[in-house]
Amino acid sequence: MSVAPKLTTDLIDGRAQMYAAGSWTASQVSALEPAVEAATRTASGARALQLDMSAVDEIDTIGAWLLERMIRHARQAGSEIKTVGISERFAGLIEELRSANLNPPVYEKQNPLLLKLYQIGQSTVSSLQELLIFIDMLGRLGTVLARVILHPRRLRLTSTIYQLHKVGWQAVPIIVLITFLIGAIIAQQGIFHFRKFGADAYVVDMVGILVLREIGVLIVAIMVAGRSGSAYTAELGSMKMREEIDALTTMGLDPLEVLILPRVIALTIALPILTFIGSIAALYGGGLISWLYGDMMPATFIARLHEAVSVTHFEVGLIKAPFMALVIGIVASSEGLRVKGSAESLGRQTTTSVVKSIFLVIVLDGLFAVFFASIGM
């Protein structure tokens, strides 16, 4: 049973003699703090102070720190400090606290140019690390895919079809609505500006080429990244938090084969289909606005569209789609597996997943644009 702490102070000819006794532990902190404060006030004017700790039965970090704080306060007031009677059991703790926070950190004003260079270096290293994580996930996924190709029965067909239904079929309504509106807006703005030059017919060229080559696949990929990519990250992150992924590993199953490969395959199949549907919806929206706003009959729009676009434009858009789906799937899965054991981590990684996916999709689209231009497509 712990003994109640005591700290008594005697003043003799400007010298303070303190006697500490009892249990100086966290359980007695409600009695320790008032006693230390009272002793500090009593000895505030003393030229010298001697602290006798021979009667202390036990002491922990809190008790030792309260004594050290009192000693430092007296030293700052100009008193000479002497501590006696320290038990060998407590000497190490007291000595450790005696050297704690003696030299507070000094923050020097840094050169703004050097600070900016340091930040750029940190960002570069962070980007390289993210690239390595992406390449690692791509390689591991390729290994799992090769294993499934060699042993087709390992493919989780039911899971793949279910994921295809979620990311494909269920996404059709929102994809059709958004791409229809995008096509209509492009056509309306084109007619509004081309009409000044008497070139209304060129709206069809603009809508057709933009939608089939760039806007159609880009809008669909961005929407899929925000809709399905975030869902992938949240699902895998929740499973990581509940240790379900660790349970799969303990059972001898590969989480990449069971959880990630079906999702990536479904996304790779669904995105080209959604791109085709979205492009048709955007062309329909452009044609409808050209008829209602630009007085261009549907037959004229279709005939002009047939002259303006070719199969090559359609192929360019569809070729991009599987690669964008692969990027979205890998980023979403890798970010899901990086979730820690908190809701904050889940939210942060989900946000990171969507931002990275959209950024990489746009970068990939730019690279494809340069590539197809260089080969004449």
Side-chain angles (χ1 to χ4, degrees):
M1 183 175 180
S2 60
V3 181
K6 294 181 180 179
L7 182 62
T8 58
T9 307
D10 295 332
L11 284 174
I12 304 174
D13 297 332
R15 302 175 65 87
Q17 181 71 39
M18 289 188 179
Y19 300 93
S23 177
W24 285 64
T25 59
S27 60
Q28 303 289 342
V29 69
S30 58
L32 283 172
E33 288 189 341
V36 170
E37 290 176 1
T40 302
R41 288 194 299 269
T42 302
S44 59
R47 298 189 306 272
L49 186 152
Q50 180 173 298
L51 175 62
D52 187 350
M53 297 181 60
S54 57
V56 174
D57 298 324
E58 53 183 343
I59 191 170
D60 62 7
T61 306
I62 291 180
W65 177 248
L66 287 173
L67 286 174
E68 178 63 24
R69 191 175 66 181
M70 179 183 66
I71 291 172
R72 292 185 184 184
H73 185 275
R75 186 176 290 117
Q76 289 177 356
S79 301
E80 297 179 4
I81 310 298
K82 183 179 180 181
T83 306
V84 297
I86 300 176
S87 172
E88 293 183 0
R89 292 185 300 152
F90 312 139
L93 174 62
I94 292 174
E95 186 64 29
E96 185 70 24
L97 286 177
R98 188 167 292 169
S99 59
N101 296 332
L102 286 178
N103 298 314
V106 178
Y107 298 98
E108 298 180 357
K109 186 176 181 180
Q110 296 182 344
N111 188 311
L113 180 59
L114 294 179
L115 182 61
K116 182 60 67 176
L117 290 175
Y118 173 75
Q119 293 173 349
I120 293 173
Q122 276 193 322
S123 301
T124 303
V125 172
S126 177
S127 300
L128 291 176
Q129 290 175 345
E130 296 294 336
L131 179 61
L132 290 176
I133 292 173
F134 180 87
I135 295 174
D136 175 68
M137 177 61 72
L138 180 61
R140 292 166 60 191
L141 197 61
T143 303
V144 172
L145 180 61
R147 187 165 65 229
V148 170
I149 291 174
L150 293 176
H151 305 282
R153 296 184 64 180
R154 298 178 68 98
L155 177 64
R156 306 276 170 164
L157 185 60
T158 303
S159 177
T160 303
I161 294 174
Y162 172 71
Q163 295 296 332
L164 184 60
H165 171 74
K166 284 180 59 179
V167 304
W169 178 253
Q170 291 184 355
V172 169
I174 187 65
I175 292 293
V176 169
L177 175 62
I178 296 301
T179 51
F180 174 85
L181 293 175
I182 292 294
I185 292 169
I186 292 174
Q188 187 273 332
Q189 287 295 302
I191 292 172
F192 177 78
H193 291 285
F194 287 169
R195 183 174 289 169
K196 301 174 183 178
F197 309 99
D200 298 31
Y202 286 101
V203 170
V204 182
D205 301 58
M206 182 181 69
V207 172
I209 295 174
L210 269 180
V211 165
L212 294 179
R213 291 183 67 99
E214 302 292 337
I215 298 298
V217 64
L218 192 59
I219 292 297
V220 170
I222 290 174
M223 292 185 62
V224 168
R227 181 183 180 275
S228 303
S230 61
Y232 282 3
T233 304
E235 291 169 2
L236 295 172
S238 298
M239 296 178 72
K240 182 76 179 296
M241 291 171 60
R242 294 195 295 264
E243 300 183 353
E244 295 177 16
I245 294 179
D246 295 334
L248 285 174
T249 305
T250 304
M251 294 166 60
L253 299 174
D254 188 352
L256 269 72
E257 182 180 318
V258 176
L259 300 175
I260 296 178
L261 185 62
R263 286 174 164 82
V264 175
I265 291 176
L267 202 59
T268 307
I269 295 173
L271 193 56
I273 298 173
L274 292 175
T275 298
F276 172 76
I277 295 173
S279 298
I280 297 302
L283 292 176
Y284 185 81
L288 186 63
I289 291 299
S290 298
W291 179 26
L292 299 177
Y293 185 78
D295 298 326
M296 182 182 297
M297 298 303 295
T300 306
F301 182 89
I302 294 174
R304 180 67 183 179
L305 185 65
H306 181 71
E307 297 176 2
V309 302
S310 64
V311 178
T312 302
H313 297 131
F314 179 72
E315 291 174 346
V316 166
L318 286 187
I319 289 173
K320 298 176 185 178
F323 294 96
M324 292 182 176
L326 185 62
V327 167
I328 294 170
I330 290 176
V331 171
S333 301
S334 62
E335 293 299 326
L337 295 179
R338 295 171 68 182
V339 171
K340 306 299 181 184
S342 67
E344 180 185 2
S345 175
L346 178 62
R348 181 172 58 251
Q349 297 305 134
T350 303
T351 303
T352 303
S353 169
V354 174
V355 173
K356 284 184 180 178
S357 297
I358 294 175
F359 172 76
L360 290 177
V361 161
I362 295 174
V363 171
L364 191 62
D365 182 72
L367 294 176
F368 268 115
V370 174
F371 170 74
F372 286 129
S374 64
I375 63 175
M377 288 186 67

